[in-house]
Amino acid sequence: MRRPHRAGVDMIRSFGSILLVAALAVAAGSLAAQTINSGLRGPTPLNEEGPAPPLAPTRNTAEREARNYPEQPPVIPHSIDGYQIDIRGNKCLSCHARARTAESQAPMVSITHFMDRDGQFLASVSPRRFFCTECHVPQSVSNPPVSNDFVDIDTMLGHATPGGRR
């Protein structure tokens, strides 16, 4: 049999739980509407989508960028606006295919692009490596929206040159 004062305690706990849930809901709504300044979002509140920033001009050079870590895919040093890269065609291969590099003077795609999943070499670019922009990206002329203090491993270890001695 239940004691009368026990029912009162249960009712107070239930009421307290309801108040806690209501307070959390109000706080979450208030937090979502707050404006947080960010280099990426600007002054746009978190619960709104701000205007897209204007596109920065694409870097257009023949220079190759230094890579920051082993196995980093090279970046694209030129504009690819209007390039068709889909199941029907790949504009990149008009310069970077093995047969076209002598006339275009563009670097040939890596030999790894001619391997299938099992490591077997193919006569043409592997279907899994056909969509270049999955890994390679063009570079823009812009200032980073957030600061970056990245240093490569050679700098961090104090090597003057890669493979140099400490």
Side-chain angles (χ1 to χ4, degrees):
M1 178 179 235
R2 262 189 140 168
R3 296 185 183 149
H5 74 282
R6 181 79 179 153
V9 169
D10 289 342
M11 188 170 85
I12 290 172
R13 283 186 182 158
S14 296
F15 185 68
S17 297
I18 291 171
L19 279 177
L20 179 63
V21 168
L24 287 173
V26 169
S30 169
L31 180 63
Q34 286 181 1
T35 300
I36 297 176
N37 282 329
S38 162
L40 297 175
R41 292 188 60 80
T44 306
L46 291 175
N47 61 344
E48 293 179 19
E49 187 171 330
L55 289 175
T58 303
R59 209 170 148 224
N60 212 3
T61 180
E63 296 175 23
R64 291 188 186 181
E65 286 278 331
R67 299 190 203 182
N68 294 310
Y69 56 90
E71 305 301 321
Q72 175 188 352
V75 296
I76 303 170
H78 58 80
S79 173
I80 60 169
D81 292 345
Y83 276 34
Q84 178 182 352
I85 305 171
D86 59 27
I87 196 111
R88 285 178 249 122
N90 183 327
K91 172 70 171 147
C92 301
L93 293 176
S94 65
C95 293
H96 295 279
R98 193 178 334 175
R100 305 298 299 268
T101 57
E103 100 185 49
S104 69
Q105 296 297 300
M108 186 182 85
V109 294
S110 166
I111 193 69
T112 59
H113 289 60
F114 294 88
M115 293 170 55
D116 66 10
R117 289 182 185 171
D118 301 320
Q120 300 298 314
F121 286 98
L122 307 171
S124 60
V125 173
S126 171
R128 67 189 195 124
R129 297 287 184 102
F130 188 75
F131 301 100
C132 307
T133 53
E134 287 183 347
C135 299
H136 305 280
V137 293
Q139 300 300 287
S140 62
V141 179
S142 62
N143 293 323
V146 292
S147 63
N148 180 355
D149 58 359
F150 175 83
V151 290
D152 65 11
I153 190 70
D154 293 315
T155 304
M156 188 169 69
L157 293 175
H159 295 173
T161 58
R165 296 184 186 265
R166 288 195 270 185

